[in-house]
Amino acid sequence: MRLYLAIPLVLLALLIATSGVAAVTRGWVPPWNRRHVRRVRLHGCGQLVLAFALCWQVIFGLVISNPGIRSFGTLFGGGLLLTGITLMGVSQRAGGDWQGSGMP
């Protein structure tokens, strides 16, 4: 196992998971994201999925040595990463109560 890759990824996943739990439970978003995030709980769920996917990638990419299981696990982890990023992106879109200028 490559600890120089695993330790920073797990610490990053912990940081993202902490922010996700704060968003889901308390509705808190870091100051640099407050202006962009429209749906806080969805953003927190996306962060939790992203943190889980990073840990999944560490387990299947660095710990498991069986090539068949390793490739399946890494592929599934990539799908989870995309799901988390998509949830975070959707949370930044304007909701249905947005009032545009419209046509004059």
Side-chain angles (χ1 to χ4, degrees):
M1 181 164 85
R2 298 176 194 102
L3 287 177
Y4 63 91
L5 289 175
I7 291 174
L9 282 175
V10 169
L11 289 176
L12 180 66
L14 258 156
L15 183 67
I16 293 171
T18 304
S19 178
V21 167
V24 170
T25 58
R26 303 279 186 212
W28 183 84
V29 178
W32 53 86
N33 278 347
R34 285 185 189 149
R35 189 170 33 139
H36 304 290
V37 174
R38 304 280 188 250
R39 291 175 246 168
V40 178
R41 295 196 194 279
L42 185 63
H43 188 76
C45 289
Q47 286 180 324
L48 290 174
V49 169
L50 188 72
F52 179 73
L54 280 175
C55 290
W56 187 274
Q57 291 282 11
V58 166
I59 290 171
F60 280 95
L62 300 175
V63 177
I64 305 294
S65 61
N66 185 352
I69 295 173
R70 185 177 184 177
S71 63
F72 174 71
T74 308
L75 180 66
F76 186 71
L80 282 174
L81 278 171
L82 287 174
T83 303
I85 291 171
T86 302
L87 285 174
M88 290 170 60
V90 168
S91 73
Q92 294 180 3
R93 295 189 59 195
D97 60 346
W98 182 73
Q99 303 212 356
S101 60
M103 303 254 323

